[in-house]
Amino acid sequence: MRRKIKPLLENVEILDAGSQGKAVARVDNKVVFVPYAVPGDVVDIQVTKMRKSYNEGRLVRIHKYSSKRIPPKCSHFGLCGGCKWQNMDYQHQLYFKQKQVVDNLERIGHASLPDIEPIIPSKHVFYYRNKLEYTFGNRRWFTEEAMKLPEEERINEGLGFHLPGMWDRVLDIDQCYLQEEPSNKIRLALRDFALKEGLSFFNIRAWKGLLRNLVIRTTSTGDLMVIVVFGDDNKEETEKVLSFLHQNFPEITSLIHILNTKQNDVYSDLPFQVYHGKDHIMEEMDGLRFKIGPLSFFQTNLEQGKLLYRKALEFAELQGNECVYDLYTGTGTIANFVAPYASKVVGIEYVDAAIEDAKVNSKINNIDNTHFFAGDMIKVLTPDFIREQGRPDVLITDPPRAGMHEKVIRRILDVSPDRIVYVSCNPATQARDISLMLDRYEIQRIQPVDMFPHTHHVENVLLLKRKAF
């Protein structure tokens, strides 16, 4: 069967910035998605995928540069998929993120919206993350510069990020602008040491190799956690790696290692061992202190996390006598944040270890009106549980990107809190969930928050109030 020849689309104007960070054009009344273009560009697009309702393509030539376009700072731009909007002026990034929130709520949620509050920009557009996870790989992606070297001089191993759409290839990173030092120094030093010592980088095709992942977590208090995930239980070589890090980076306050021999990269269900220092780091947020373990979730942009939680607290409109439920509470960050302003806070989370951290965080901050429960949300949030804990006046929910299960939404509607504050990292699933609530609730306030500059990702906080019948 003959393959259909994919067309070259010439002199196409880019109209919008859409999902997954791709730019959007329209040709012959059909949407075309193309990465690394900027709205206002006039370009040629080579179609790479043809679907019934849309096409995908790659940028092959720019005839006219958009006024929104700026030079990207990172030398890895265009290969690393992490900062796809780095070639767009930040003010326009904010515009398209806010537009994304509105478009999703109207198109997917079919919602009638109040005036949206202006998106809160990030204080820092570079070096804003407090956590990065790198991957070791023995199938490094060779750049044009590396390909010029003789084959025997090319280094096959790399430490960096997976290339988008290429699960077995790693882009070796020289300089990343997402996390402050010593993040780059640690990564580069460990990579060079491993190459010098002839240590094996992970082979994801064969599921073997010593070095698998490197995780670096920093805090505003000066704590520094480094986690090395090993794919092979070689105690002598493991000791060699950990000893190198301990001796060369005395600023590490928590040096931890995990053995993962599974055929997936998830290590949150595995035991960890402390090689040096503490088994946690400490962070501060608006006078509260939080213990963060190696497997704990914490907002990766601290400054924006503060603003996000302050806005959730504002939307909750607490007077001091309310019972508040915090769903998907994680390590209890929001629950502890709002507890001083409520009578009682009930936090629910499916990860047992996170709930234990939440309890510790309440104790650290002398908070005694929080109650935390671990388990599957719909199995915990039963009518008997609600009778025991009390009906919530306010419900705060901050689910993962997939949003909430429909059964959880139905249970929330049965509980019927006066106010729902929905914090989301994915406006599309938030809009889907909200659409199931609009018969009983109306949207009162909308506040987007930019947590991740140079990406399409945007957080959104919604206030829903129960309708009077």
Side-chain angles (χ1 to χ4, degrees), residues 276-293:
H276 170 75
K278 302 175 293 184
D279 65 353
H280 65 278
I281 50 180
M282 297 298 299
E283 187 55 278
E284 293 182 355
M285 183 184 285
D286 278 5
L288 296 174
R289 299 172 67 235
F290 293 97
K291 176 186 174 184
I292 304 170

Side-chain angles (χ1 to χ4, degrees), residues 70-308:
I70 61 172
K73 185 172 183 173
C74 181
S75 62
H76 302 294
F77 179 80
L79 282 174
C80 173
C83 300
K84 291 180 180 176
W85 283 4
Q86 206 180 97
N87 60 348
M88 192 193 310
D89 174 79
Y90 185 55
Q91 292 305 311
H92 289 100
Q93 293 182 33
L94 295 173
Y95 167 81
F96 286 108
K97 290 187 184 201
Q98 179 152 324
K99 182 175 182 293
Q100 181 188 151
V101 170
V102 173
D103 288 350
N104 278 298
L105 287 172
E106 290 182 338
R107 181 173 52 84
I108 300 174
H110 307 291
S112 176
L113 305 181
D115 290 338
I116 187 169
E117 298 175 35
I119 187 171
I120 300 175
S122 180
K123 182 179 178 180
H124 304 287
V125 296
F126 295 107
Y127 300 120
Y128 59 82
R129 290 185 66 100
N130 56 34
K131 178 186 176 184
L132 274 184
E133 180 172 335
Y134 302 103
T135 299
F136 291 90
N138 74 335
R139 286 174 58 82
R140 173 180 173 179
W141 176 262
F142 289 115
T143 61
E144 289 183 14
E145 195 172 306
M147 288 296 288
K148 293 175 184 175
L149 296 171
E151 190 171 347
E152 64 272 12
E153 294 183 25
R154 296 176 198 162
I155 299 173
N156 291 316
E157 293 80 11
L159 174 56
F161 303 118
H162 281 292
L163 269 93
M166 305 184 81
W167 59 275
D168 63 340
R169 289 295 183 100
V170 168
L171 178 66
D172 192 66
I173 299 294
D174 292 319
Q175 168 82 18
C176 182
Y177 293 93
L178 288 173
Q179 189 177 31
E180 287 187 330
E181 295 295 6
S183 180
N184 283 299
K185 290 178 181 176
I186 292 172
R187 183 189 70 255
L188 294 173
L190 181 55
R191 180 198 66 187
D192 292 347
F193 173 77
L195 290 171
K196 179 184 173 184
E197 294 294 320
L199 303 176
S200 60
F201 287 43
F202 200 70
N203 181 337
I204 197 170
R205 287 174 175 264
W207 298 103
K208 65 180 182 179
L210 178 74
L211 294 164
R212 189 160 183 173
N213 299 101
L214 172 69
V215 183
I216 301 174
R217 303 186 77 157
T218 56
T219 71
S220 64
T221 64
D223 283 351
L224 171 62
M225 177 181 285
V226 174
I227 306 167
V228 184
V229 181
F230 293 96
D232 182 20
D233 190 14
N234 185 317
K235 291 181 172 54
E236 182 180 339
E237 292 187 336
T238 295
E239 169 65 28
K240 190 181 291 187
V241 170
L242 297 172
S243 176
F244 169 80
L245 289 170
H246 177 42
Q247 291 175 18
N248 288 273
F249 295 95
E251 60 267 47
I252 296 174
T253 59
S254 176
L255 181 54
I256 288 171
H257 57 110
I258 296 172
L259 177 63
N260 180 12
T261 57
K262 300 184 301 177
Q263 292 191 6
N264 66 63
D265 285 330
V266 177
Y267 56 84
S268 58
D269 58 338
L270 297 172
F272 64 87
Q273 294 184 18
V274 178
Y275 181 81
H276 170 75
K278 302 175 293 184
D279 65 353
H280 65 278
I281 50 180
M282 297 298 299
E283 187 55 278
E284 293 182 355
M285 183 184 285
D286 278 5
L288 296 174
R289 299 172 67 235
F290 293 97
K291 176 186 174 184
I292 304 170
L295 308 179
S296 302
F297 169 79
F298 196 82
Q299 289 292 349
T300 52
N301 186 334
L302 178 66
E303 294 300 322
Q304 292 305 99
K306 291 178 186 177
L307 299 176
L308 183 77

Side-chain angles (χ1 to χ4, degrees), residues 4 26-33 49-56:
K4 191 172 183 180
R26 187 174 287 274
V27 179
D28 296 331
N29 209 31
K30 194 173 188 179
V31 169
V32 183
F33 295 106
K49 289 183 182 179
M50 301 177 70
R51 300 290 186 263
K52 277 189 176 181
S53 57
Y54 68 91
N55 289 335
E56 293 185 24

Side-chain angles (χ1 to χ4, degrees), residues 214-418:
L214 172 69
V215 183
I216 301 174
R217 303 186 77 157
T218 56
T219 71
S220 64
T221 64
D223 283 351
L224 171 62
M225 177 181 285
V226 174
I227 306 167
V228 184
V229 181
F230 293 96
D232 182 20
D233 190 14
N234 185 317
K235 291 181 172 54
E236 182 180 339
E237 292 187 336
T238 295
E239 169 65 28
K240 190 181 291 187
V241 170
L242 297 172
S243 176
F244 169 80
L245 289 170
H246 177 42
Q247 291 175 18
N248 288 273
F249 295 95
E251 60 267 47
I252 296 174
T253 59
S254 176
L255 181 54
I256 288 171
H257 57 110
I258 296 172
L259 177 63
N260 180 12
T261 57
K262 300 184 301 177
Q263 292 191 6
N264 66 63
D265 285 330
V266 177
Y267 56 84
S268 58
D269 58 338
L270 297 172
F272 64 87
Q273 294 184 18
V274 178
Y275 181 81
H276 170 75
K278 302 175 293 184
D279 65 353
H280 65 278
I281 50 180
M282 297 298 299
E283 187 55 278
E284 293 182 355
M285 183 184 285
D286 278 5
L288 296 174
R289 299 172 67 235
F290 293 97
K291 176 186 174 184
I292 304 170
L295 308 179
S296 302
F297 169 79
F298 196 82
Q299 289 292 349
T300 52
N301 186 334
L302 178 66
E303 294 300 322
Q304 292 305 99
K306 291 178 186 177
L307 299 176
L308 183 77
Y309 294 154
R310 288 172 191 168
K311 191 56 65 172
L313 175 60
E314 178 187 326
F315 279 18
E317 300 176 359
L318 300 177
Q319 303 301 310
N321 59 349
E322 294 92 350
C323 175
V324 179
Y325 278 25
D326 178 28
L327 307 190
Y328 311 94
T329 190
T331 57
T333 316
I334 290 180
N336 285 298
F337 201 84
V338 305
Y341 308 94
S343 174
K344 178 180 183 179
V345 180
V346 177
I348 306 173
E349 165 65 40
Y350 70 93
V351 179
D352 289 346
I355 285 297
E356 293 310 308
D357 283 344
K359 293 175 181 177
V360 170
N361 286 328
S362 286
K363 189 174 181 180
I364 289 171
N365 292 288
N366 298 313
I367 294 171
D368 59 7
N369 63 334
T370 54
H371 307 265
F372 294 105
F373 302 89
D376 181 85
M377 193 65 61
I378 194 62
K379 292 179 180 177
V380 173
L381 201 62
T382 63
D384 286 343
F385 177 88
I386 293 158
R387 277 193 294 272
E388 291 170 8
Q389 298 301 321
R391 172 189 165 273
D393 304 292
V394 177
L395 185 141
I396 301 172
T397 181
D398 185 7
R401 290 191 60 77
M404 296 190 290
H405 193 283
E406 185 175 342
K407 289 181 179 179
V408 175
I409 297 171
R410 298 298 178 196
R411 185 60 49 82
I412 291 171
L413 293 174
D414 290 341
V415 174
S416 193
D418 300 332

